[in-house]
Amino acid sequence: MNTSDLLIKSLENEGVEYIFGIPGEENLDFLESLRTSKIKLVLTRHEQGAGFMAATYGRLTGKTGVCLSTLGPGATNFVTCASYALLGGMPVLFITGQKPIKKSKQGRFQIIDVVRMMEPITKFSKQVVDGNNVPYLVREAFRIAEAEKPGPVHLELPEDVAAEEVARVPFERTTVFPPGASQSALKTASEMITAAKRPLLLIASGANRHETHSAVREFVDRTGLYFFTTQMGKGVVDERHPRCLGTAALSDNDYVHRAIDRADLIVNVGHDVTEKPPFFMHEDEQQVVHVAYYPAQMDDVYFPQHEVIGCTAANMRSLASMITPSAKWEFGYYERVKEEIERHVYAKSDSREFPLIPQRVVGEVREALRSDAIISLDNGMYKIWFARNYKAHQPNTVLLDNALATMGAGLPGAIAAKLVRPEQQVVAICGDGGFMMNSQEMETAVRLGLNLAVIVLRDDAYGMIEWKQAGLGLDGFGLKFGNPDFVRYAEAYGAKGIRITEPGQLRDALRSCLNGGGLHLIEVPIDYVENERVFYEELAHKTQLI
Ligand SMILES: Cc1ncc(C[n+]2csc(CCOP(=O)(O)OP(=O)(O)O)c2C)c(N)n1
């Protein structure tokens, strides 16, 4: 047995099902060991796609996703997806190759210090210098990746070490149960919540992990609190819930912020400051109780006055049992805000305008999909509209990145989601800019025979930046581009291409694509005229409405 065999055995021992990636010549020993393993190789068309897929696997399963690249240029392609996993809290192991470290005839060809490159963007980055270290290095890497806050880890396997004979066995996998908070921390929190006049619950990304959602749902039901979510906390509790105030897709000044501004105490479950702020804390305005696996990072916009740290599910259950709904709580104002949200935020989802406006796109997508369908969003203007207007019914059914907020992850994320959840409908939703950053992964999806729909929202521009440019009163410049014919582009990959030409077609096309098998690209012309009308004009006047 050589080191590569032992590494593969160790990965099997950890329960790894897939390795996403692109091998180079430095990985050939590893590839040979993988050939006879039960782990499946998902060959991708760019290392970035592989990293996004592995991260999404980790996000959906809680188990470490694994991806592979060669040294130098393959490894540098991992930088964006490692950063995505780091900020987004997704467990991933990045394995990279390297030239022989003991004796090499290639000078410095292709060599950069990958271990150091990965250090600031992973939780753990090590070179395997001796095959005998593989059992502990793999165990340590998986433990660190999966521990809260989950994230990326990196192992570099040099070519000569990969080929060395070894005689070790993998370490057993162990489970570490995180402790709950102390009784006094829980007691203080429950007293603060009970004593508040208008407590409000914020559900954030950390509550979308480890089955925490059932504890959060119990908390909502037992206490009767109103709640809202961050973008990455969508779906922890069904957004059709009568006390759901929706998602803080903007950091301030939306309808939901009327409720936030009136709250004298916010119970903030699973939030960390890598997510774009769902609201800005201001001194003396309200108190925040931070409930999470790990302590809050203090920031100018986030400085909770009390923290309940440790197993979030256990802590939420304890809090629910300690809090008796108080007769002093006043939720009448939240009720009115909720009515306004239902009236204004979801307005125009039946608009007949064409090109479609974002509200109509969101409306048709929601109508077409089952409750457990997964949407995987890329980054662009439509992400704000989906975060704000799309009601998620189940946990982890809206995969979006509100942490690194990188473009290019929508399609790879959808591919991984379909592999992990083959029974669920999966749709990638991308802008024409973000889609073209990793559109080559359509070939991967076709080769894997996945039934996926990819919606490409076409505005022939980097629309989100146009919106910001206009908001600053600047002239339009530098953000328009041309596009391929998306229908023919899809066909060139062996996928089906559809162009939407009127309202209503998107919903029907989506339904038939998801019943029909195979990969479908749906080009949807979008008009972002509503950005300015809603986000600049309507919201500027909304205070008069409530
Ligand atoms: C990799 C990367 N590059 C640049 C950005 C900055 N950025 C954020 S949104 C955006 C425009 C996205 O355009 P598109 O995908 O066409 O979606 P649209 O906003 O037009 O709906 C850009 C350039 C980013 N977030 N990620």
Side-chain angles (χ1 to χ4, degrees):
M1 183 171 67
N2 65 20
T3 305
S4 284
D5 297 329
L6 178 59
L7 180 52
I8 289 290
K9 264 184 189 294
S10 304
L11 298 178
E12 284 175 347
N13 185 57
E14 296 287 343
V16 173
E17 297 173 277
Y18 299 102
I19 295 180
F20 303 89
I22 305 181
E25 62 185 293
E26 289 70 25
N27 310 113
L28 283 173
D29 260 307
F30 183 82
L31 198 64
E32 175 57 17
S33 309
L34 180 58
R35 187 173 64 81
T36 49
S37 152
K38 55 181 191 245
I39 299 174
K40 296 183 213 60
L41 173 68
V42 176
L43 195 66
T44 63
R45 305 308 302 269
H46 194 296
E47 290 84 356
Q48 197 183 91
F52 287 142
M53 290 177 205
T56 304
Y57 177 95
R59 177 180 195 169
L60 284 172
T61 63
K63 298 190 300 180
T64 306
V66 181
C67 53
L68 173 76
S69 82
T70 187
L71 75 175
T76 54
N77 278 344
F78 274 161
V79 168
T80 301
C81 36
S83 310
Y84 167 83
L86 183 74
L87 298 195
M90 307 169 204
V92 193
L93 169 61
F94 289 86
I95 300 176
T96 58
Q98 190 50 282
K99 296 280 180 212
I101 47 174
K102 291 170 190 163
K103 197 163 190 289
S104 169
K105 288 192 171 163
Q106 298 212 36
R108 306 292 302 162
F109 178 61
Q110 288 194 303
I111 293 182
I112 57 157
D113 189 338
V114 177
V115 172
R116 265 181 66 203
M117 177 187 83
M118 295 296 270
E119 262 164 17
I121 50 173
T122 56
K123 296 169 80 181
F124 174 85
S125 179
K126 290 272 185 273
Q127 183 181 64
V128 183
V129 290
D130 182 335
N132 291 301
N133 297 342
V134 164
Y136 94 78
L137 283 173
V138 169
R139 194 72 281 278
E140 186 66 349
F142 275 73
R143 278 165 62 95
I144 291 173
E146 288 166 20
E148 282 286 333
K149 175 182 175 178
V153 293
H154 167 237
L155 288 176
E156 178 182 74
L157 181 62
E159 214 177 325
D160 49 356
V161 180
E164 272 170 14
E165 290 295 309
V166 281
R168 296 289 306 268
V169 289
F171 283 179
E172 281 305 306
R173 222 183 126 83
T174 54
T175 309
V176 182
F177 297 96
S182 68
Q183 273 308 309
S184 63
L186 289 163
K187 187 162 171 282
T188 304
S190 67
E191 285 168 1
M192 287 171 77
I193 297 165
T194 314
K197 204 164 161 193
R198 269 185 296 272
L200 184 62
L201 177 68
L202 167 60
I203 302 170
S205 59
N208 240 334
R209 300 197 285 265
H210 309 294
E211 307 296 310
T212 307
H213 36 86
S214 52
V216 176
R217 278 199 295 263
E218 278 168 43
F219 180 89
V220 166
D221 289 339
R222 288 189 62 156
T223 59
L225 293 192
Y226 274 75
F227 64 95
F228 69 107
T229 78
T230 66
Q231 296 192 24
M232 292 172 86
K234 280 181 85 68
V236 172
V237 179
D238 190 332
E239 290 186 83
R240 293 168 297 180
H241 192 287
R243 289 192 305 282
C244 176
L245 296 171
T247 301
L250 307 174
S251 293
D252 62 0
N253 213 31
D254 204 345
Y255 291 97
V256 64
H257 294 95
R258 296 288 100 213
I260 298 167
D261 293 347
R262 280 285 178 96
D264 55 347
L265 181 133
I266 298 180
V267 184
N268 204 335
V269 53
H271 183 50
D272 82 67
V273 287
T274 55
E275 259 214 81
K276 190 167 169 234
F279 67 97
F280 301 126
M281 273 187 81
H282 298 290
E283 285 98 331
D284 304 329
E285 273 184 20
Q286 72 231 138
Q287 294 198 305
V288 168
V289 175
H290 173 89
V291 185
Y293 276 89
Y294 47 91
Q297 270 175 293
M298 292 295 142
D299 190 275
D300 236 10
V301 296
Y302 195 62
F303 42 91
Q305 288 84 355
H306 182 61
E307 303 190 35
V308 177
I309 304 305
C311 178
T312 307
N315 289 337
M316 289 304 281
R317 289 207 169 92
S318 303
L319 283 176
S321 68
M322 292 163 83
I323 294 168
T324 313
S326 161
K328 286 186 287 165
W329 287 349
E330 285 175 15
F331 294 148
Y333 185 72
Y334 295 163
E335 217 174 294
R336 293 208 298 285
V337 173
K338 164 93 181 149
E339 281 163 19
E340 291 300 322
I341 287 172
E342 294 296 330
R343 196 165 22 250
H344 291 282
V345 171
Y346 304 106
K348 296 193 90 169
S349 58
D350 55 355
S351 144
R352 297 290 312 160
E353 285 156 84
F354 192 83
L356 300 186
I357 60 168
Q359 297 95 314
R360 175 87 199 205
V361 172
V362 176
E364 290 199 31
V365 171
R366 185 62 280 184
E367 264 182 63
L369 299 181
R370 296 199 296 247
S371 266
D372 67 347
I374 295 176
I375 58 170
S376 170
L377 296 167
D378 210 279
N379 253 279
M381 192 62 222
Y382 53 89
K383 189 185 81 174
I384 295 183
W385 285 104
F386 269 87
R388 188 172 183 262
N389 291 38
Y390 183 89
K391 288 195 182 183
H393 300 171
Q394 295 187 18
N396 266 320
T397 52
V398 176
L399 303 180
L400 61 74
D401 165 22
N402 190 33
L404 185 68
T406 180
M407 295 162 74
L411 173 59
I415 291 173
K418 192 66 190 175
L419 285 173
V420 174
R421 303 273 157 78
E423 304 309 320
Q424 287 169 237
Q425 296 174 319
V426 178
V427 183
I429 300 174
C430 311
D432 42 8
F435 171 67
M436 290 302 285
M437 287 195 179
N438 272 316
S439 61
Q440 74 286 344
E441 300 305 341
M442 284 208 291
E443 190 281 320
T444 310
V446 169
R447 181 165 23 94
L448 294 172
L450 300 179
N451 176 208
L452 280 182
V454 183
I455 294 176
V456 179
L457 299 166
R458 176 175 177 182
D459 64 341
D460 298 317
Y462 293 115
M464 173 139 193
I465 314 302
E466 282 191 324
W467 172 56
K468 301 260 167 155
Q469 195 176 47
L472 293 173
L474 300 169
D475 286 342
F477 172 72
L479 296 164
K480 297 252 185 253
F481 50 70
N483 270 309
D485 176 330
F486 283 115
V487 172
R488 286 170 59 207
Y489 188 60
E491 287 166 359
Y493 280 97
K496 295 206 178 67
I498 299 160
R499 182 171 295 121
I500 298 305
T501 54
E502 59 181 71
Q505 272 180 357
L506 170 59
R507 179 194 50 225
D508 298 343
L510 201 48
R511 279 188 186 139
S512 67
C513 293
L514 294 170
N515 288 330
L519 179 70
H520 301 254
L521 185 157
I522 308 175
E523 178 195 315
V524 182
I526 190 163
D527 187 342
Y528 278 132
V529 63
E530 284 289 295
N531 290 347
E532 189 157 343
R533 191 193 66 76
V534 174
F535 296 136
Y536 293 145
E537 292 161 22
E538 183 183 310
L539 292 187
H541 299 110
K542 71 173 187 319
T543 35
Q544 296 159 9
L545 300 169
I546 306 173

